[in-house]
Amino acid sequence: MSHLTPPQTLTREEICHLIDNCAYFCCLPSRDLDSLEQDLQTTSEPILPDSERDVYIRIQIEDGGNMIGNSSCYGLKKRLPQTETPVIQECKLLANLSGREHFNRI
């Protein structure tokens, strides 16, 4: 995760890899992010290449409306737009796991 830095663009394969390797995820409209992010406790510590700590990654997908509300990784990947270039907007270490109740558990 240390190689992911905002505002980095991602390929479809990179997004699918992130989806396949996440423990929690949530796909919602950007207007709903503030309330979700307020419950997360992040740290400004750097993400080390060998770190096993949990990371919060926010990815903007402009034409991702069909992905909203999906509760499965398969559904997210299936509805991932073919022509869109997703952009990482946030990538931060989590200080703890509080706030994860807003996310779907894999």
Side-chain angles (χ1 to χ4, degrees), residues 6-97:
Q8 178 179 344
T9 58
L10 299 171
T11 65
R12 181 178 178 79
E13 291 77 26
E14 289 170 319
I15 290 287
C16 289
H17 177 75
L18 288 173
I19 292 170
D20 286 339
N21 290 285
C22 68
Y24 293 89
F25 72 92
C26 185
C27 190
L28 51 117
S30 57
R31 67 178 177 271
D32 297 338
L33 285 174
D34 288 339
S35 61
L36 179 135
E37 289 179 340
Q38 286 176 357
D39 290 343
L40 295 175
Q41 295 177 12
T42 61
T43 177
S44 60
E45 295 175 44
I47 302 170
L48 302 175
D50 60 347
S51 176
E52 293 188 20
R53 293 179 60 190
D54 291 309
V55 175
Y56 169 69
I57 302 171
R58 179 178 13 135
I59 301 169
Q60 175 76 28
I61 302 174
E62 287 298 326
D63 193 23
N66 289 338
M67 299 173 71
I68 293 173
N70 235 294
S71 60
S72 75
C73 289
Y74 173 78
L76 286 178
K77 292 188 298 185
K78 182 178 176 180
R79 290 174 176 83
L80 185 63
Q82 294 288 333
T83 58
E84 187 60 40
T85 305
V87 177
I88 294 176
Q89 292 189 325
E90 294 282 342
C91 189
K92 295 181 179 181
L93 276 176
L94 292 173
N96 56 48
L97 295 179

